[in-house]
Amino acid sequence: MSLGKNTVNTGRAPRILFYSHDTFGLGHLRRSRALAAAITQADPTASALILTGSPVAGRFTFPRRVDHVRLPGVTKRADGSYAARTIGMGIDEVTDLRSGLIQTAVQQFNPDILIVDKEPTGFRGELLPTLEYLENNCGTQLILGLRDVLDEPEVLAAEWERKEAIAATERFYHEIWVYGLNSIYDPTKGLPLSRSAQSRIHYTGYLRRDLGPVGEPPEQPYILITPGGGGDGKAMVNLVLSAYEKDPDLSPRAILVYGPFLSGELREEFETRVAALNGRVTAVGFESQIETLFAGAAGVVCMGGYNTFCEVLSFDKRAVIVPRTTPRLEQWIRASRAEGLGLVRMLDETRDGLTPDAMIKAIRALPQQSLPSQTIRAGLLDGLDYVTDRIDALLTGEKERATG
C-alpha cells in the first residue's frame, strides 16, 4: 500500500477524524481526546472530530477546534453478547445505525486523516463500509492506533482472525501507530502481519498527559485511589477500604474517585464504609479533570489501564497497580513489564495475594518507592510529539519524515 500525497486537502485547514468505538470504559475516548488536543495545539488551523460510543462523552470538556459526535451506545451483557444501551433496537439494527452515522460523518466532514482506535473493522464490523468508501473515493490517510498492550498473543490472534481484522489492516491502513515503545512490549506479537504491514508500524512512545492548567489540589498529603471508569473496579476499591478499616494507623488519607460506570448499588455500599472511616478516606464522583487530583497526590493506587498508566508516568507518581486479569490480560502484562522496569509496584494476586494486609503493606511502602522519573527511559513519554510530527508529515505528503 502506498501513501502518496493527500488529495483531500485543497488548501483548506486540516481536518482530523477519530473513531473510538467505546463499548466499555473511558480509555478509548480519553486517548482520542488527548491526541486531538495535541494535534490542534500543534497546528492552530487544524480541527478534530471524535466519533465515540461513550455514554459519558458529554461530561468531558473538549479543547477549541475539537468536537465529538456521540454514536448510539452499546453495552456488553454478562454472557458476552452486546445490546443497545438505551434505544429499543436490536444489536444488528443499532450497529447498522452507527455504521450509517459514521459514513455520513466521514462524507460531510471529509477528513484528511482518519485515526481508528484499536478496532481495525470497528465494533462488529461497522467501520468496513466507511473504509471501503474512503479507499475508493478519497485521499484520506487511514491510521490504525493501538495501545501498548492489547492482549496475550494467542488470544489476540484468535480475536483478530474472528473479526477479519488482519485482512482489514493489510488492505486499508496506511500506517499503524503503537502508543508505546517496542523495547517495552510489542502488541502485534502473535499477529500474522505481512512484512509490508510490519514496515508501516510506528512506535510513538506513551501519550503524556498535558490537558491545560492544573487546578488547586485538595488538602495534602493524600493518596489517590482511582479505578478508572469504575465498571470493573469493585475488587480494588474494596481492597483499599478494607486496608483502612483493618489498620487505624494507615496513612496518609485517601481520596477515592468513583468512576462513572460504578453501579449505584455498589457506590451506596462504599459510601457507607467511607463515612465510617471518619475522613481517613473521602470519596468524590467522576472527575473529568482528574489531572488535578493526580498532580497533588503523594502516591496512587490504581488499576492498570493505559490512560491511568500514562497519568502515573506524566505526573511522576509512585504507584501501586492492581491489574485486572479478566476478560483479558492486558493490564497484567502492562503492570508486569512496568514493575520489571522499576516504574511502578504491582499487587499480583498469585504472588502477593489480594488481601487487606497486602494492600496495607503496599500503601506503607509507597514513600520508599522510586519515582518513575528515576528509571524512565528516553522517548518513553514522547508519543504526542511523535504523533503531531507524523500528522504534519502526512499532511505535507512527506512519506519518509518522522519515521522510526
Side-chain angles (χ1 to χ4, degrees):
M1 176 181 291
S2 63
L3 261 170
K5 189 167 176 67
N6 194 318
T7 58
V8 175
N9 196 333
T10 53
R12 67 167 199 209
R15 296 179 185 178
I16 317 299
L17 184 67
F18 291 84
Y19 164 81
S20 174
H21 69 290
D22 290 298
T23 57
F24 183 76
L26 294 173
H28 308 289
L29 173 60
R30 295 190 68 204
R31 186 158 49 245
S32 297
R33 175 173 164 259
L35 288 163
I39 290 167
T40 53
Q41 191 173 6
D43 182 350
T45 68
S47 296
L49 183 65
I50 302 172
L51 304 180
T52 174
S54 173
V56 295
R59 297 200 211 174
F60 283 93
T61 54
F62 289 87
R64 286 185 62 209
R65 300 186 318 284
V66 178
D67 210 337
H68 71 286
V69 171
R70 167 86 159 81
L71 301 171
V74 293
T75 186
K76 199 170 190 176
R77 293 172 168 150
D79 64 2
S81 65
Y82 287 93
R85 185 179 286 274
T86 51
I87 53 179
M89 299 176 77
I91 191 60
D92 290 335
E93 290 178 297
V94 82
T95 303
D96 286 345
L97 173 58
R98 285 168 55 111
S99 185
L101 290 169
I102 292 165
Q103 189 160 347
T104 297
V106 166
Q107 290 169 344
Q108 296 292 321
F109 189 62
N110 196 18
D112 301 293
I113 297 172
L114 169 62
I115 301 174
V116 173
D117 192 81
K118 183 182 174 281
E119 296 286 346
T121 62
F123 172 68
R124 300 182 85 242
E126 68 184 1
L127 203 54
L128 284 170
T130 294
L131 295 175
E132 289 168 358
Y133 165 79
L134 289 172
E135 181 184 50
N136 295 324
N137 295 283
C138 299
T140 302
Q141 305 296 336
L142 302 180
I143 310 297
L144 176 62
L146 302 177
R147 63 183 180 229
D148 60 334
V149 183
L150 295 170
D151 204 343
E152 52 189 320
E154 299 78 12
V155 174
L156 181 66
E159 179 185 330
W160 275 43
E161 183 178 2
R162 186 177 71 254
K163 294 178 176 179
E164 300 182 350
I166 289 289
T169 301
E170 297 278 358
R171 174 181 169 188
F172 295 114
Y173 290 97
H174 300 103
E175 295 189 1
I176 302 162
W177 295 350
V178 175
Y179 306 126
L181 289 182
N182 190 24
S183 56
I184 293 182
Y185 194 76
D186 173 8
T188 67
K189 189 178 174 184
L191 294 178
L193 290 171
S194 69
R195 189 167 295 179
S196 172
Q198 289 173 4
S199 73
R200 302 198 295 273
I201 296 176
H202 294 250
Y203 284 87
T204 69
Y206 287 87
L207 305 178
R208 184 187 297 276
R209 287 297 176 261
D210 181 17
L211 298 179
V214 170
E216 188 69 30
E219 184 185 344
Q220 297 169 300
Y222 64 88
I223 59 170
L224 174 65
I225 316 297
T226 170
D232 55 0
K234 175 185 177 182
M236 189 205 78
V237 174
N238 176 62
L239 201 57
V240 173
L241 292 179
S242 298
Y244 277 87
E245 288 163 345
K246 184 168 185 179
D247 184 350
D249 297 321
L250 187 59
S251 65
R253 73 187 182 97
I255 295 181
L256 165 62
V257 179
Y258 293 124
F261 301 120
L262 188 78
S263 74
E265 198 174 299
L266 261 180
R267 181 165 171 165
E268 280 182 31
E269 177 195 321
F270 288 151
E271 288 283 6
T272 303
R273 294 171 66 186
V274 165
L277 286 165
N278 298 318
R280 294 175 57 234
V281 177
T282 54
V284 294
F286 169 63
E287 293 282 326
S288 65
Q289 296 296 333
I290 197 171
E291 291 84 7
T292 294
L293 292 178
F294 255 101
V300 179
V301 178
C302 58
M303 295 180 69
Y306 179 86
N307 290 282
T308 304
F309 181 60
C310 287
E311 284 158 342
V312 165
L313 298 181
S314 299
F315 289 105
D316 198 22
K317 297 300 173 181
R318 298 176 173 94
V320 176
I321 292 183
V322 187
R324 72 177 187 212
T325 53
T326 58
R328 55 180 79 242
L329 276 182
E330 167 224 340
Q331 291 194 3
W332 187 91
I333 294 169
R334 178 179 299 113
S336 177
R337 294 291 293 156
E339 183 181 64
L341 293 167
L343 294 169
V344 301
R345 161 86 196 279
M346 175 173 70
L347 208 57
D348 178 60
E349 185 172 9
T350 305
R351 183 191 66 193
D352 307 303
L354 297 184
T355 64
D357 285 337
M359 180 58 77
I360 290 167
K361 185 179 176 184
I363 291 174
R364 285 192 174 280
L366 263 173
Q368 282 75 53
Q369 279 183 219
S370 297
L371 292 167
S373 60
Q374 293 174 267
T375 51
I376 218 158
R377 55 182 61 197
L380 186 68
L381 282 170
D382 289 353
L384 293 177
D385 290 337
Y386 189 105
V387 164
T388 54
D389 284 349
R390 194 75 206 128
I391 290 283
D392 185 52
L394 292 174
L395 290 172
T396 55
E398 297 175 39
K399 180 182 174 184
E400 297 306 323
R401 209 169 108 210
T403 56

